[in-house]
Amino acid sequence: RQTSQGIITVVQEHRFKLVDEHGRARLFVLDHAAPLEGRELERLLRDGVPVQVTYSNTNQLIAAIAHDVAALPAAEGDGPG
């Protein structure tokens, strides 16, 4: 399994797009066994928090299979202050 970090920019049901710090976009489909649901993806999108996606590639889909999506801790100095 691989990981990628970035910001979720689009969510549609169990599909989402992640854009990394270099501006590269990647499409994912949430695995049915993932520990979160589509509504949690929508919250991560709305909050604009950086996330880490653990995924595997498949030759049958354009999108990778996301096995887990976790919010990353805020970097020091981020946020209001």
Side-chain angles (χ1 to χ4, degrees):
R1 293 193 179 170
Q2 301 172 317
T3 60
S4 186
Q5 296 180 356
I7 301 289
I8 295 174
T9 60
V10 176
V11 172
Q12 183 181 31
E13 297 178 1
H14 289 84
R15 299 180 297 268
F16 64 99
K17 180 166 69 171
L18 182 82
V19 177
D20 70 15
E21 64 184 20
H22 304 290
R24 290 183 295 242
R26 175 169 218 135
L27 299 174
F28 293 95
V29 174
L30 194 60
D31 184 8
H32 68 279
L36 69 159
E37 297 180 2
R39 67 177 151 252
E40 292 167 278
L41 290 174
E42 292 172 5
R43 180 186 52 80
L44 292 168
L45 168 68
R46 185 179 58 249
D47 294 349
V49 297
V51 298
Q52 178 169 291
V53 179
T54 303
Y55 67 95
S56 56
N57 290 310
T58 176
N59 293 333
Q60 289 116 9
L61 298 174
I62 294 171
I65 304 299
H67 302 287
D68 193 17
V69 180
L72 294 170
E76 203 169 305
D78 284 356

